[in-house]
Amino acid sequence: PWCGHCKQLAPIYDELAENFKDDESILIAKMDSTANELEHTKIQSFPTLKLYKKGDNKIVDYTGERTLEAMTNFLEGKVPEEKETEEVDEDGDAPIKDEL
């Protein structure tokens, strides 16, 4: 589990834990899935980030950016804004659109 991605994420994850250390509703934890049996959790790549909801232990996969800001927003329930993607007309046959 100590691949390059894991090593890159470690200081960000540590800072995330530090930022939430006084929040009684959030616990940031690390677990080595190669050293622990996880029958209820499937790990397909490393690092894998999962949220276990307090109360019912419902599992939510984290698939967002591996940045402090993105993970903080996720834990605080903030939904990231979708970035607009511009369509590319590779064939040159799409009708020209008017712009305001």
Side-chain angles (χ1 to χ4, degrees), residues 16-59:
L16 184 71
E18 181 66 25
N19 291 348
F20 283 96
K21 71 179 182 183
D22 296 325
D23 189 326
E24 293 183 15
S25 65
I26 297 176
L27 172 66
I28 307 294
K30 293 182 187 178
M31 183 175 63
D32 182 350
S33 66
T34 64
N36 297 278
E37 292 184 30
L38 300 171
E39 294 176 14
H40 62 286
T41 303
K42 294 187 189 253
I43 306 296
Q44 296 179 353
S45 64
F46 295 98
T48 296
L49 302 176
K50 296 193 177 276
L51 169 70
Y52 291 83
K53 290 197 168 194
K54 187 175 182 177
D56 62 5
N57 253 4
K58 179 181 175 189
I59 300 171

